[in-house]
Amino acid sequence: MENQIKSPDPRPGAPPEYNSHFVPGPPGPAVPPPAGHPGGLPVGYYSPHQPTTFPLYMQTGGSHPIQYQPGKYPAPQHSAPIVWMPMPTVMPNCPPGLEYLAQLDNIHVLQHFEPLEMITDFETNNTYDIKNNLGQMVYFVTEDTDDYTRNAYRTLRPFVLRVTDCMGREIMTMQRPFRCTCCCFCCPSTRQELEVQCPPGVTIGFVAEHWNLCRAVYSIQNEKKEDMMGVLGPCSTYGCGSDSVFEVISLDGVSSIGSITRKWNGVLSAMSDADHFEIHFPLDLDVTMKAMIFGACFLIDFMYFESSPPQRSSTHD
């Protein structure tokens, strides 16, 4: 930590910037593991059905665990087999890797539970499992942010999220630039924004926050920043004991298109930020818009559910 902290000021005047020209992560094709080697395994996630298990990622029909970059993910002591969703065929006019979303109308976003954060209050990179209704893995999402930025800026931190498929290939990248909220909240320069790229380096749209006195309001935009859909959050996102529903609506506000729901998972929802989101959208919705709703889920998570409730209330109220 001493080598990474460059200034005693936890909020330096010049935060790191992420722009649309960042270098995507390595594609990481799957490599058969050596005989007897367990493979690199991501850390465990919290799930209401399996609260103490850790996944061992297995591709459907394969004989080897999916390999990740050596040393990037710590190996747990226990593992439970997790099956990946069968790889779909290539579809015309569909960005590579989004063929999975084209076949789904419902996905689950399961954030990994990090004991280190609860014990030390040291913020680590977020990781997520993306699953379908059958419990099959669809994607794996990892945050790519340095230790200093995460712990200095917390929920306001700029970040890059990398979405990988069953072969370890980066098929989607999301980035959030730094936006200071210490001045007037209605100022456009303070509004949060997320850029979604698929494949990495090719922008397909943006998720933009709109200032509202009572509730969370976002617009889902195309690559030209033209509004395509809206997202309306509840009046209170910190309620204890109930789900928080963010409704995806048409531009005229009349039709409901889908929803992003943060599920209430009991005591762990109150004690940690290992969230469970459920996303609904029409099966025949344009696949790039599905990807944009998927991206909106992560901006919502970082803005409203990344800290424990006591810390959030002191930060946002």
Side-chain angles (χ1 to χ4, degrees):
M1 284 296 295
E2 293 179 358
N3 295 332
Q4 293 171 341
I5 297 179
K6 301 179 182 179
S7 169
D9 184 1
R11 300 295 299 274
E17 289 291 339
Y18 292 118
N19 56 56
S20 59
H21 304 291
F22 69 93
V23 178
V31 177
H37 191 275
L41 302 175
V43 293
Y45 63 88
Y46 167 71
S47 168
H49 304 293
Q50 296 177 316
T52 60
T53 59
F54 297 87
L56 170 63
Y57 295 113
M58 299 291 293
Q59 182 182 358
T60 301
S63 58
H64 300 293
I66 299 303
Q67 297 297 296
Y68 294 93
Q69 298 178 29
K72 188 169 184 179
Y73 307 108
Q77 296 179 351
H78 304 284
S79 62
I82 297 294
V83 177
W84 283 85
M85 179 179 173
M87 184 178 297
T89 58
V90 177
M91 298 180 179
N93 302 319
C94 179
L98 295 190
E99 296 91 350
Y100 295 94
L101 291 182
Q103 301 182 17
L104 299 173
D105 62 358
N106 177 279
I107 55 175
H108 296 263
V109 178
L110 298 160
Q111 183 176 356
H112 289 206
F113 173 67
E114 299 289 353
L116 179 64
E117 293 186 2
M118 293 188 64
I119 297 173
T120 66
D121 198 36
F122 179 81
E123 186 71 25
T124 60
N125 273 321
N126 286 358
T127 52
Y128 306 83
D129 289 345
I130 314 303
K131 295 188 174 185
N132 60 20
N133 270 341
L134 299 177
Q136 297 171 328
M137 283 285 293
V138 181
Y139 299 123
F140 186 66
V141 181
T142 57
E143 179 186 356
D144 188 0
T145 308
D146 64 86
D147 292 340
Y148 178 64
T149 300
R150 286 195 312 272
N151 288 276
Y153 294 94
R154 297 285 175 164
T155 60
L156 292 177
R157 64 184 183 262
F159 60 74
V160 172
L161 295 178
R162 305 192 185 277
V163 183
T164 54
D165 63 6
C166 66
M167 301 299 291
R169 297 172 299 191
E170 184 177 349
I171 56 97
M172 186 188 309
T173 308
M174 309 175 196
Q175 62 171 341
R176 175 200 190 186
F178 178 77
R179 294 285 189 273
C180 179
T181 59
C182 59
C183 54
C184 179
F185 289 106
C186 60
C187 177
S189 63
T190 68
R191 298 172 188 170
Q192 301 301 310
E193 183 180 81
L194 182 79
E195 179 183 353
V196 180
Q197 301 179 358
C198 183
V202 179
T203 300
I204 63 172
F206 298 84
V207 181
E209 178 192 25
H210 294 274
W211 185 83
N212 188 282
L213 184 62
C214 302
R215 63 196 307 180
V217 179
Y218 301 90
S219 63
I220 293 178
Q221 304 171 337
N222 61 17
E223 72 281 2
K224 299 177 182 179
K225 290 198 171 184
E226 299 170 335
D227 291 347
M228 306 298 291
M229 295 178 287
V231 179
L232 292 181
C235 292
S236 174
T237 59
Y238 314 124
C240 181
S242 61
D243 296 345
S244 297
V245 180
F246 294 76
E247 186 179 9
V248 182
I249 60 173
S250 58
L251 289 180
D252 57 13
V254 175
S255 303
S256 177
I257 298 175
S259 63
I260 302 169
T261 303
R262 190 256 191 172
K263 309 295 289 185
W264 174 257
N265 288 330
V267 64
L268 275 182
S269 289
M271 294 179 59
S272 73
D273 56 8
D275 296 307
H276 173 194
F277 289 89
E278 186 172 359
I279 303 176
H280 290 268
F281 34 58
L283 183 63
D284 59 353
L285 183 67
D286 180 80
V287 70
T288 58
M289 290 297 102
K290 289 184 179 183
M292 294 307 306
I293 297 174
F294 176 56
C297 175
F298 293 96
L299 184 58
I300 289 170
D301 181 32
F302 274 86
M303 289 187 63
Y304 296 102
F305 304 109
E306 180 59 15
S307 302
S308 61
Q311 293 173 323
R312 272 200 305 265
S313 60
S314 61
T315 302
H316 294 278
D317 291 349

